[in-house]
Amino acid sequence: MISAPQKLFLFQLIAHLSLVPMIIYASFEEYLIGFIVYFFTGCFGMTMTYHRLLSHRSWQAPRWFWYFGTLCAVFGLTGSPIAWAAVHREHHRFSDTDKDPHCPERIGFLKAQWGSMFCPVKVKYVTDLLKDRFLLFIHKHYFKINMVWALICFLIEPFAVVYLYLFPAFLLWNMGSFIITLTHMFGYEVEGTPDKSKNIFFLGYLLWGEGWHANHHKDPNNPVFSNRWWELDLGGVFIRIISRN
Ligand SMILES: [Zn+2]
Ligand SMILES: [Zn+2]
């Protein structure tokens, strides 16, 4: 029986291979659509929902956004919300120590960048999320839901599976993994950060605020990651807008 991490690895392997047909066949419009989908899965999904809302509970989202943001992240192929939050909470608890689940210094860059789906999921870190029936449903049926989404893309047109689903998933995996690898290795430091986390300019912009990682480690309960005017945190901007309504 194939395990959930093995399945995710397989899905992501296919997502990475989608680069070949993208480079050969994709038009400018299809690249553009792929990047727009990456914005949805990365901004609304990964950073606003998986990270700030579910892992840190650092902002109050209306229920519609709870569903919408979670689904955006699910189609980004970075794992179930419960698994993602469990590993991430453990990371904050032990960042840059021997117990950090994906410390690049400890397990190596390659394993942290492409193998973090194999980090053990410890349910003791997510007992609150396990009480949410929606999240539990997503967790149990994560790959079936992804197969349905792949089928919908296919019915739009067969090549849409590549530019609407696999290519954005490839982008999100690598950008997200750069946060757990590069921002604990390179970048500029922030005074008062309790570990080796750093800010990286281009990741701040390309992953909707996630690159201001040292700011976030310094104050993990703050849903806004930017500290200076030029540290654009698009996820934080949307959180402010949604929280106001
Ligand atoms: Zn965090
Ligand atoms: Zn970190």
Side-chain angles (χ1 to χ4, degrees), residues 14 21 23 34 53 64 94-95 115 118 154-155 166 169 183 190-191 202 215 220 223 227 229 243:
I14 296 166
I23 290 167
L53 179 64
W64 69 264
F94 299 110
S95 55
F118 294 105
F154 182 83
L155 292 175
L166 297 172
T183 62
V190 173
E191 212 182 311
F202 83 96
N215 299 354
N227 276 343
W229 67 266
S243 301

Side-chain angles (χ1 to χ4, degrees), residues 90 125 167 242:
E90 191 178 8
Y125 290 114
F167 176 63
I242 292 170

Side-chain angles (χ1 to χ4, degrees), residues 57 82 89 122-132:
R57 311 298 294 264
I82 286 174
R89 287 177 181 179
K122 296 174 185 161
V123 290
K124 66 179 177 180
Y125 290 114
V126 281
T127 49
D128 57 329
L129 300 181
L130 286 166
K131 290 177 193 151
D132 187 289

